[in-house]
Amino acid sequence: MPIAFERLELISEHACFGGVQRFYKHASSEIGLPMRFGLFLPPQALAGSQVPLLTFLAGLTCTEETFATKGGAQRMAAELGLALLSPDTSPRNTGVDSEDHHWDFGVGAGFYLDATQSPWSGHWCMESYLLKELLPAVLGEFRLVQERQGLFGHSMGGHGALTLALRHPGVFASVSAFAPICAPTQCPWGHKAFTGYLGQDESTWAAHDASLLMAAQTRAPYPEGILIDQGLADKFLQEQLHPEAFEAACAAASQPLTLRRHAGYDHGYYFIASFVADHLRHHAQTLRAA
């Protein structure tokens, strides 16, 4: 049986490049609380055609609105006929006293995994929320093509895109990332998140590290290629991101990777907006053939 939304509420909608940008709220059974998401439907979808779904996972401190308002992706999505889904980055208003004490842990910092440690395990179930609930419900509710899904993201969301694509083979046909956290077991952001959400046993962390997941592959999981863009003026590059680790893992697995390093670009949305059209074209090329 297709998964349906429970109490789906339209918050707002905005005409955009012949399509429509909408924001929704719904009751989430996986999270146990209301969740929000943004959805851009291109003109082809409004005219009745089934189109592919491309999901963007945002980074630390972001919401379901950040990519939709700052990413500048709708124009190219309308041209290519892609629906764009932008989930929120964590549960909110959970009742956990310390949920908003840190900008890089808790609210706005779900890391796209299922927490196993109290008190976070009660609501911080972002992986299950996305894979078991939100994506199936969006595909069914809006009549999108299940077999043609792409996944991309930025920073923490780039980590999410790479790890979820590797952890769930066959779900996504294409994957890309902007400045992803490529080796969270080797950086402060990852240590903080994994210790809090998964506990002190570091053997459990490897299942959520894109470089380690890729290194364990016996064949290329995405033979059409993975695209990553990284700014060289990114203040987080050296300490937090480690794209060279993912690059080495892809080489060892014979996974085609296009890792583009851009002088002068930082970690923000001006960087994303500069190259987002290339990412949409990357996904569209694969999704058309899926």
Side-chain angles (χ1 to χ4, degrees):
M1 290 286 293
I3 295 177
F5 280 109
E6 182 180 349
R7 298 197 299 275
L8 180 65
E9 174 188 346
L10 178 64
I11 299 172
S12 66
E13 64 178 355
H14 315 273
C16 188
F17 296 107
V20 61
Q21 175 68 55
R22 294 173 178 164
F23 296 98
Y24 289 95
K25 178 180 179 180
H26 74 104
S28 168
S29 59
E30 291 291 338
I31 299 294
L33 293 166
M35 292 292 288
R36 296 179 179 234
F37 65 91
L39 182 67
F40 173 72
L41 294 173
Q44 298 88 335
L46 299 185
S49 296
Q50 285 191 291
V51 300
L53 176 64
L54 180 55
T55 298
F56 181 87
L57 305 181
L60 293 165
T61 75
C62 294
T63 73
E64 75 284 353
E65 294 185 342
T66 311
F67 177 70
T69 57
K70 294 183 177 181
Q74 291 94 337
R75 180 193 295 271
M76 183 57 66
E79 180 179 323
L80 296 171
L82 296 173
L84 297 176
L85 174 65
S86 53
D88 201 354
T89 52
S90 78
R92 297 176 189 271
N93 302 311
T94 66
V96 175
D97 289 340
S98 57
E99 69 173 16
D100 58 355
H101 288 189
H102 304 274
W103 71 273
D104 54 356
F105 182 80
V107 167
F111 271 82
Y112 304 103
L113 51 74
D114 290 350
T116 59
Q117 302 299 299
S118 179
W120 312 103
S121 55
H123 296 293
W124 264 258
C125 306
M126 290 299 293
E127 182 172 5
S128 291
Y129 168 64
L130 290 171
L131 273 296
K132 297 179 181 179
E133 184 174 9
L134 181 62
L135 288 172
V138 167
L139 290 166
E141 178 76 22
F142 299 99
R143 297 184 63 252
L144 306 174
V145 185
Q146 180 174 348
E147 296 78 15
R148 293 195 288 160
Q149 290 190 71
L151 186 63
F152 70 147
H154 168 234
S155 192
M156 176 187 72
H159 144 79
L162 296 176
T163 56
L164 294 181
L166 292 169
R167 284 172 56 81
H168 299 276
V171 174
F172 304 102
S174 57
V175 60
S176 72
F178 295 93
I181 304 171
C182 289
T185 59
Q186 301 178 36
C187 75
W189 279 342
H191 277 239
K192 185 173 185 176
F194 289 175
T195 300
Y197 293 139
L198 304 176
Q200 298 286 345
D201 183 0
E202 295 187 15
S203 67
T204 66
W205 298 2
H208 302 280
D209 183 305
S211 295
L212 296 178
L213 288 169
M214 182 60 75
Q217 302 296 315
T218 57
R219 61 181 179 84
Y222 290 90
E224 297 84 2
I226 295 172
L227 172 63
I228 292 178
D229 279 307
Q230 175 63 60
L232 293 180
D234 188 327
K235 66 181 181 180
F236 302 115
L237 175 57
Q238 297 302 321
E239 184 178 27
Q240 303 283 12
L241 304 181
H242 299 298
E244 70 283 350
F246 190 71
E247 186 176 37
C250 285
S254 299
Q255 167 62 54
L257 171 69
T258 300
L259 174 53
R260 306 191 303 185
R261 295 172 168 92
H262 304 279
Y265 285 89
D266 62 19
H267 196 71
Y269 269 81
Y270 294 112
F271 160 60
I272 293 173
S274 297
F275 301 105
V276 71
D278 293 343
H279 283 249
L280 267 61
R281 293 188 192 100
H282 164 80
H283 288 276
Q285 182 176 357
T286 301
L287 296 176
R288 287 194 192 104

